[in-house]
Structures are given as structure tokens and as C-alpha cells.
Amino acid sequence: DKLPFTNAGTVSSSDVFTMRPVPSIYLEPEAPRRARWAWAEGPITPFKQFSYLYAEANATPPTGMRSAPPLGGLGSGTVELRADGSLRSWTIENASPAGSAKTGLLDEAAFGYRLGGAPARLLRTHPPAGLPGVEGIRFSGATPFTRLAPTDSALPAGANLRLYGRSRWRLGDRSA
């Protein structure tokens, strides 16, 4: 690929992820009741518990699983295209990612593909129950771009399938 990224990782359909509590000083909740930083609500306490995504055996998950570049425009809301193909951290209230309520995961939102006469598949390593997904995805991302490249034995030989996400939002550009 001609577009280089320093942030990259691979997610497999056999990967197992769990949410585990982690003591944290600063939190940005996924769905705050009001647009405020978590540490600014009430008296400041040394630590709060936050559920954080981990891979098996307390390992850090592949790059792009906990967070990915936000796609969207300034004041238009954003969504993150994560390394497993899921669309997460939706901010649909026309506010910044840090100051608005977020919808964690809309499992029904997905990208799919169909090549030749093969059955259609979702570009997800962990698709909703009953829907076929891909065996793996190579993730690359750096603001304002995200790139997903499926790895799957069902892809025809020589297929070079990529999904790119690009945000119009750029630092210092008020017209984006």
C-alpha cells in the first residue's frame, strides 16, 4: 500500500476480547449524562473504575480496537471505524467527541462486500450473530485516515480489497 501508517495492527475472528475494570484518574465516559469531563463531576477522587478493552490474558488489544481516528466533520458528529470493522463511539449530537454523549456500538451498522458469485460477507471479524464475517482485518490509521484490509481465505486470489475512511476535519481548518 502506498499510504504509510505508523499505527497498525491485525484483528482475527478467533481473537477474544473482554472488558475489565481499571482504576483511572481521568475518564471520558462513553455516554455521559451531560457534556462534562468525568473528573470534573463532584469532588475529585484519586481513582475511579473504568471498563477497558483487553485481549486474552490481560494483553493489550491490537491497535485500533480501543480507539481509532474519528471520521466526520467539525460540528457534524463523528464515528470511529475500529480495527475489527465495527463502527463505535458515535457522536451524533453535532458536538466534539470529548464533550457529547456517545453511542458505543451500533451492531447493525456494518460494511459488506460481495465478489463474483461468492456469498456476501461483512467486513467485520466479530459480526452480529448469524451473519458471515471475515477471518481477519489489517488495520492502519492516523488522523484523518483509517484503512481496513480484510484477510480471508474466501477472497479470490489476487483480490486487493481495502476500505478507507477519511475525515474532512483538519486541525486549524474551520471550513472543513
Side-chain angles (χ1 to χ4, degrees), residues 24-27 34 36-48:
S24 302
I25 294 174
Y26 166 82
L27 300 177
R34 59 190 173 280
R36 297 188 78 188
W37 303 101
W39 55 261
E41 292 181 12
I44 296 176
T45 56
F47 292 98
K48 294 181 181 183

Side-chain angles (χ1 to χ4, degrees), residues 130-157:
L131 297 174
V134 294
E135 294 167 2
I137 296 176
R138 287 189 316 272
F139 167 86
S140 306
T143 300
F145 296 101
T146 298
R147 177 179 60 209
L148 301 182
T151 57
D152 196 284
S153 57
L155 284 171

